[in-house]
Each structure stands twice: as C-alpha cells, then as structure tokens.
Amino acid sequence: MKQLGENDPVLIKALEDIVQASLSEALPQKPVYTLREILPHKTAVDLKGLAKASQVTGYSKMKKAELVHALCDSLPNPDNIEIALNCLERQEWEFFKKAAKQKQLADNLAFVDSFVTTQSFGFLQAFFNDGNMIFVVPEEIRTVFADMIRNGTADRIERSVLLDCYARAAVNLYGIIPLDELAELFNGQNEEKATEDELFSTLLRHIHEESVYCFWEEYLVHTDFEEDDFSGVAALKEAIRGKKRYIPPKEEFLQYADDDYYEQTPQVEKLEGFILENLTQDRMDAMEIADEIVLTCMAEARMKDVMGVFEEHGIVFHGKEQVERLMPILTDVWNNVRIWSNKGHTPNEMTDNFGRPVLRVLPGAGKKPGRNDPCPCGSGKKYKKCCGRND
C-alpha cells in the first residue's frame, strides 16, 4: 500500500470512517467527570450490563437510579479494575493510560477499538462536543488508577499486556510456537525475563471468546486450528521441521499482534497498481482487494480462494490475456509474504542446499501435481489432503 498524502481522497475517506465509528460510541454533550454524572446518561440495558460485570447483587430488579447508585459504589473497586485492565490488548491499555493521566483527552482520530472495551467496563467515557471527541476517565477510576501506579499494580498490568502482545504476534506470524521458544524469543528482546510458568499463567487470563490463541499440549497455537479440532497442528509441525524461525526486531515483531498486519512490499504495490489500472477505478476498492489477497496468501489458501477475492468484489476479467498478466504478479506476492509453514519466512527467503530461493507456484497454476505428491502450497501435506481435496 502506497504512502498517502494528507489531501489524498482515500486518506480523507479513511479518516471520516474513523470519526464516524468513534461518534457512534460517544455521548453528544459536554463532558462530565464523575461516575455519578456519567452513568445517568447510559441506557438501562448498558447499566445492567455493567452491574452484571461488577457482580452487583440483585441488579436485574433494580431501577435506573438504583443501578447508578450501586455502580458508583462497585465500579471503583481496585481488585475488579485490576482484573479488567489485565484483559486489555496493547492499544486499549496505552489509550487508557494516556486518558487516565489527565482530566480529559481530546483526540478526534482515536480508533474506536482503542477505547470501546474500557468504555464497556465503565472506566472511560467518550463525548462529542463542539466538533471534538473528548475522552474522560471518571475521577473515581482515576483515583484508584493513581494508587495502582504508586503500588506497582500498573507495572504488573503493563507486563501482562506485553506478554499477551507477544503471544498474539507469535501465533499470527508462526501459527504455532512451543511455550519454551516463546519465552526464549521474549527474553531475547526484553531485559526483564519471563519464565514458562509466568507465560502460562498470564496468557491463560487473556484467553477468552475472542482470543486469537489457545494452548494445545506444550504449544501456543492460533485459534484457527480449532476449526479442524487441531488436526492441522501436526501437519504444520511437520512442515516447519528443521527450519529456522524468522524473528524481526521487537517493535516490528509486535506489529504482528494486529491480525491484519503485513509488511508492505514492492510486490504488493505492483498488485495494487495492476488492480487499479485494469480492474477498478476505485482506489479504496483496489487497496482492499490487495489487502485481502495478501492475507489470503499468508493463510496459504488455494488458488481458487485467491481468485475468489476478485469475485467477492464483483471484479470481471476481460479475457484470458488479462488473467495471464495477473498471474506472475500474484505469484510474486505469494512468494514474498510471511507464512506459517516457513516459520515466518517468505518463500523467497528460504533457500535450498545450493543457496537458491525455494519459491512456490500458486496452487492451480502450472502442471497439476499427483494426488500423493507434496502440495505445491508448501503446507507439508499431500496434494489430495490439501489444495486437491475437492478435485
């Protein structure tokens, strides 16, 4: 994806989308600063949700005024706040810390994902006033958090969030990783070392319905493996046998905690350019198609899945010649994305015994393999068990 200038219509549209998403979660009024002032502006349904999470006894039979009173007492509980903050992802934690340091935070470009969870806990409230997004951590919560900073609780949460970020990045980049190797990776990039026991107990707290990782035997694995009852783990273990792990510098590695992150490469720019020049005049659409194709390639999907991205966007090819010009571009993208079966390396980075790149042919392109041949997608499975299972 190319860098966008400040007047680029695609950037302007993206910023508008950010603002609209945030507006949908904000109270349209002047900010107020205490729980007793904020809570009455929430719906009874929202208040009951907060009361349930805060374990308020008898909340289901309470009227709105009673819920507000009960929540003003229960929400500032230090133990409950610590438990909830321990569940935050990195961007959520960083935004909460920033907002909690001041009476109000003005930020018109805050991503909704950075504050919607803490707002659902009752620990933060977004307001929209005079054309500005204002974020307020209620005074009662700020007081408790200030104590947490002084007594070291905030430092423990900081570490918990960092360990979770490493876990998310690891399963997004590698698919699976033994817990001892995750500890080794973390310890190689951080002064304060982590043990396997600390990793296990900390990550267990972060595993919930929307987690991208879970435990399987001695491994931390991506939750995608749950779909086939973890049978794919064995195949991936076989595919990565003997391969060296790709480990980028710390800040680059942590970017992989974002499920949709991938490296911007010349190959992706070329793909985006081809789409924009030949298949659509909508630049935003071209960028979205390129993004989806890269993520599909990273998932080592079949050729029909890669081409299915175009179909989902209503793209119609104008003749065989156009498809033939596209195929080498897709192959270049395919060979320059980081994949699980290479332990995070791209096919272009992998070399054979003679130092030559071990490139892949897109499944479905070129000569069709035999049913018992290794699948050309690089998964380590036989063709009949992988890309050829529907042939």
Side-chain angles (χ1 to χ4, degrees):
M1 191 181 300
K2 299 176 182 178
Q3 294 295 319
L4 303 178
E6 61 180 16
N7 295 320
D8 190 290
V10 174
L11 177 59
I12 293 172
K13 177 62 167 59
L15 294 178
E16 289 175 350
D17 290 343
I18 292 172
V19 171
Q20 288 301 316
S22 296
L23 278 174
S24 67
E25 299 294 335
L27 292 175
Q29 64 172 68
K30 290 182 179 180
V32 289
Y33 303 98
T34 67
L35 287 172
R36 200 163 297 280
E37 294 171 313
I38 293 171
L39 293 175
H41 295 283
K42 292 183 177 291
T43 66
V45 172
D46 289 339
L47 292 174
K48 287 186 177 182
L50 284 173
K52 181 180 180 180
S54 300
Q55 299 181 328
V56 174
T57 303
Y59 73 89
S60 62
K61 298 180 180 179
M62 289 182 180
K63 295 180 179 180
K64 187 171 182 178
E66 295 173 314
L67 287 166
V68 169
H69 180 77
L71 286 168
C72 285
D73 291 335
S74 63
L75 282 177
N77 181 292
D79 292 336
N80 290 343
I81 292 175
E82 179 180 358
I83 291 170
L85 294 182
N86 259 306
C87 297
L88 297 182
E89 295 180 15
R90 195 185 191 194
Q91 65 169 344
E92 298 167 338
W93 168 244
E94 294 297 334
F95 191 83
F96 175 79
K97 285 193 302 178
K98 185 178 179 181
K101 291 178 180 178
Q102 48 202 298
K103 185 174 182 179
Q104 64 179 41
L105 170 66
D107 189 345
N108 288 337
L109 297 179
F111 285 95
V112 68
D113 288 347
S114 65
F115 69 85
V116 70
T117 299
T118 45
Q119 182 161 286
S120 72
F121 293 158
F123 300 162
L124 178 147
Q125 181 59 53
F127 297 90
F128 183 71
N129 183 55
D130 287 339
N132 292 307
M133 288 292 298
I134 307 293
F135 299 90
V136 172
V137 174
E139 290 177 2
E140 300 90 336
I141 306 300
R142 288 178 62 210
T143 298
V144 174
F145 189 66
D147 290 338
M148 294 171 75
I149 292 174
R150 285 190 290 270
N151 64 27
T153 301
D155 289 336
R156 293 197 298 272
I157 296 172
E158 183 90 26
R159 183 165 176 81
S160 173
V161 170
L162 180 61
L163 291 173
D164 170 67
C165 197
Y166 264 86
R168 296 173 65 87
V171 297
N172 283 334
L173 183 56
Y174 308 128
I176 64 174
I177 186 170
L179 205 57
D180 62 338
E181 291 187 26
L182 179 59
E184 182 180 352
L185 191 160
F186 179 89
N187 293 339
Q189 297 184 336
N190 296 273
E191 291 186 8
E192 187 178 350
K193 308 307 180 186
T195 64
E196 290 181 54
D197 287 342
E198 181 190 10
L199 275 170
F200 180 79
S201 60
T202 300
L203 299 183
L204 199 60
R205 292 197 301 268
H206 282 271
I207 293 176
H208 51 80
E209 194 173 284
E210 297 180 0
S211 294
V212 297
Y213 60 80
C214 59
F215 291 109
W216 183 84
E217 296 184 352
E218 74 274 21
Y219 285 82
L220 191 73
V221 306
H222 199 286
T223 50
D224 280 358
F225 289 104
E226 291 178 334
E227 296 177 6
D228 62 359
D229 199 25
F230 299 99
S231 63
V233 174
L236 182 56
K237 285 172 62 178
E238 183 62 29
I240 64 178
R241 188 187 302 277
K243 294 179 181 177
K244 185 177 180 181
R245 190 178 303 282
Y246 166 73
I247 303 177
K250 178 177 178 177
E251 286 309 312
E252 182 183 346
F253 177 80
L254 291 178
Q255 290 188 77
Y256 285 94
D258 180 349
D259 299 345
D260 295 326
Y261 174 76
Y262 62 86
E263 290 180 50
Q264 303 296 329
T265 65
Q267 292 80 15
V268 176
E269 286 194 9
K270 187 173 181 180
L271 172 62
E272 183 184 313
F274 179 91
I275 295 170
L276 188 59
E277 181 179 346
N278 297 276
L279 302 175
T280 179
Q281 295 181 338
D282 186 324
R283 190 174 177 196
M284 180 68 81
D285 200 26
M287 293 166 65
E288 289 179 1
I289 293 171
D291 282 348
E292 290 178 29
I293 287 174
V294 173
L295 294 171
T296 302
C297 289
M298 290 176 70
E300 303 180 66
R302 293 169 292 173
M303 179 57 182
K304 71 175 185 179
D305 296 319
V306 176
M307 298 304 293
V309 173
F310 293 103
E311 184 178 347
E312 290 170 4
H313 284 264
I315 298 297
V316 177
F317 291 97
H318 302 292
K320 181 179 178 182
E321 184 270 339
Q322 192 176 58
V323 176
E324 289 176 344
R325 286 193 294 118
L326 172 63
M327 291 308 295
I329 298 173
L330 287 177
T331 301
D332 281 344
V333 170
W334 186 273
N335 281 307
N336 286 279
V337 297
R338 303 202 172 279
I339 57 174
W340 292 356
S341 61
N342 280 345
K343 277 192 173 180
H345 285 284
T346 70
N348 200 35
E349 291 171 344
M350 301 298 290
T351 57
D352 63 15
N353 293 333
F354 301 97
R356 298 172 302 199
V358 182
L359 303 181
R360 298 186 297 172
V361 177
L362 275 170
K367 182 180 177 181
K368 182 177 179 180
R371 287 181 55 76
N372 290 312
D373 290 341
C375 189
C377 77
S379 66
K381 303 178 186 178
K382 291 183 178 181
Y383 178 70
K384 67 182 180 182
K385 296 287 188 180
C386 191
C387 297
R389 60 176 177 253
N390 293 326
D391 289 357

